[in-house]
């Protein structure tokens, strides 16, 4: 599809980047996204995709900045380009970047915002996809010695795992 588009359209670079990413050619994916952002620096989806891509290069600080920029640009648009669930995944991804670098204090606000939005606004069928976010939030609170909060979110995990009579595999939450 990207080959049929004109490179004056930011979707060309978005799709081309995904194509390279899909075949694990991350260097070409990075090159494509860089060109796209040079031409379209305020494109929400290109900024978001670059943020996600930079996780493969172990460049957390770059990834965080581009995801934050995408969310900020998107909040200025009346017609959102990032779907609601995807915006929650973006918050989760920023939290992940900090969490992976053992920066628990900075990951907490992103996981907490994600988790609270999920708990308030998503149906049960989608909430289960965010159990790992709740688990990492609880663990992060534990790591910064905020044990009441760690316990609170741990209890939420237990409640979500047993919702609907289904027990989740706990191997990811140990």
């Amino acid at each position: 599809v990207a080959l049929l588009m004109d490179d004056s359209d930011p979707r060309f670079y978005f799709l081309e980047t995904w194509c390279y990413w899909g075949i694990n050619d991350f260097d070409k994916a990075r090159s494509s996204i860089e060109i796209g952002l040079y031409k379209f620096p305020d494109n929400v989806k290109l900024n978001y995709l670059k943020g996600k891509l930079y996780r493969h290069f172990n460049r957390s600080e770059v990834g965080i900045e581009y995801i934050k920029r995408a969310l900020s640009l998107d909040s200025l648009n009346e017609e959102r380009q990032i779907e609601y669930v995807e915006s929650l995944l973006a918050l989760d991804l920023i939290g992940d970047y900090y969490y992976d670098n053992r920066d628990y204090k900075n990951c907490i606000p992103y996981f907490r915002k994600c988790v609270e939005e999920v708990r308030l606004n998503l149906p049960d069928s989608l909430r289960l996809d965010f159990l790992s976010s709740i688990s990492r939030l609880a663990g992060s609170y534990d790591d910064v010695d905020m044990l009441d909060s760690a316990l609170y979110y741990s209890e939420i995990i237990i409640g979500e795992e047993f919702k609907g009579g289904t027990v989740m595999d706990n191997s990811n939450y140990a």
Side-chain angles (χ1 to χ4, degrees):
V1 175
L3 297 175
L4 301 175
M5 299 178 81
D6 184 339
D7 68 355
S8 65
D9 184 335
R11 294 176 299 171
F12 170 85
Y13 297 100
F14 183 85
L15 293 172
E16 182 179 59
T17 300
W18 268 119
C19 288
Y20 286 129
W21 190 334
I23 60 170
N24 294 324
D25 192 338
F26 298 112
D27 291 326
K28 286 185 180 175
R30 179 173 48 187
S31 177
S32 177
I33 201 78
E34 293 289 346
I35 294 168
L37 279 169
Y38 177 78
K39 291 182 174 185
F40 307 99
D42 293 333
N43 184 277
V44 171
K45 290 186 177 185
L46 291 177
N47 277 279
Y48 181 62
L49 186 58
K50 182 174 180 176
K52 289 176 70 169
L53 177 65
Y54 267 69
R55 186 166 202 169
H56 290 281
F57 293 103
N58 294 319
R59 299 278 314 277
S60 299
E61 68 288 348
V62 174
I64 289 170
E65 293 308 313
Y66 278 93
I67 291 173
K68 286 180 181 178
R69 179 168 165 68
L71 290 172
S72 175
L73 288 168
D74 200 42
S75 70
L76 301 175
N77 290 328
E78 191 170 309
E79 186 177 310
R80 297 292 171 106
Q81 294 180 33
I82 300 176
E83 298 294 327
Y84 181 68
V85 173
E86 190 70 21
S87 71
L88 297 178
L89 291 170
L91 291 172
D92 183 61
L93 191 57
I94 294 170
D96 274 346
Y97 282 130
Y98 286 120
Y99 187 85
D100 291 346
N101 288 302
R102 293 184 163 82
D103 187 351
Y104 303 115
K105 186 177 179 181
N106 281 318
C107 75
I108 287 172
Y110 293 98
F111 284 143
R112 189 178 56 233
K113 173 85 171 141
C114 174
V115 167
E116 293 306 318
E117 289 288 326
V118 165
R119 291 182 62 227
L120 294 173
N121 299 313
L122 291 186
D124 290 347
S125 60
L126 292 175
R127 290 168 77 173
L128 292 177
D129 292 338
F130 289 91
L131 273 177
S132 62
S133 304
I134 303 169
S135 177
R136 289 185 307 252
L137 177 59
S140 297
Y141 274 123
D142 185 51
D143 287 327
V144 296
D145 294 323
M146 296 178 73
L147 301 181
D148 288 341
S149 295
L151 180 60
Y152 172 78
Y153 286 101
S154 295
E155 289 172 352
I156 291 172
I157 295 166
I158 293 168
E160 292 293 330
E161 287 177 343
F162 288 96
K163 205 169 253 196
T166 306
V167 178
M168 298 282 297
D169 172 14
N170 288 329
S171 62
N172 293 328
Y173 309 113

